[in-house]
């Protein structure tokens, strides 16, 4: 399974890192490392994220890397 960021998701992720880095560079690293680890886990366990509680009828799941939520759906062999 491949994990692929949509263009807007990539922009938002990089913006979050930039925002965190401005205040405290080490915090950006502390956020990025676990975020990458959790998102890579989706390659092997795409259903490990939970169904989004407020949108249970939609085909999306989420992983939480506090304070951010990453939404995704599984399409064939891609998590996007």
């Amino acid at each position: 399974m491949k994990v692929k960021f949509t263009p807007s998701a990539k922009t938002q992720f990089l913006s979050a890192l930039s925002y965190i880095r401005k205040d405290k560079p080490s915090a950006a690293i502390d956020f990025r490392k676990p975020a990458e680890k959790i998102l890579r886990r989706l390659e092997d366990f795409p259903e490990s994220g939970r169904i989004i509680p407020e949108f249970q009828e939609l085909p999306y799941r989420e992983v939480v890397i506090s304070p951010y939520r990453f939404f995704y759906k599984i399409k064939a062999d891609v998590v996007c």
Side-chain angles (χ1 to χ4, degrees):
M1 185 82 45
K2 182 178 180 177
V3 175
K4 182 179 177 183
F5 273 86
T6 62
S8 64
K10 184 176 182 178
T11 298
Q12 290 175 357
F13 181 67
L14 294 175
S15 292
L17 285 174
S18 178
Y19 178 79
I20 296 167
R21 189 179 306 118
K22 286 179 186 176
D23 185 46
K24 188 174 181 187
S26 63
I29 294 168
D30 292 343
F31 171 73
R32 182 179 175 189
K33 286 182 180 181
E36 288 177 345
K37 181 179 178 181
I38 289 168
L39 295 171
R40 275 197 202 106
R41 181 184 69 204
L42 296 176
E43 293 174 345
D44 295 321
F45 304 102
E47 294 186 9
S48 63
R50 70 179 185 169
I51 294 172
I52 302 170
E54 60 270 36
F55 300 109
Q56 294 182 12
E57 69 282 357
L58 297 178
Y60 293 92
R61 303 180 82 79
E62 72 174 349
V63 291
V64 177
I65 304 153
S66 188
Y68 297 95
R69 297 166 70 186
F70 292 81
F71 302 103
Y72 69 95
K73 66 180 175 178
I74 304 165
K75 292 174 77 174
D77 62 345
V78 177
V79 173
C80 51

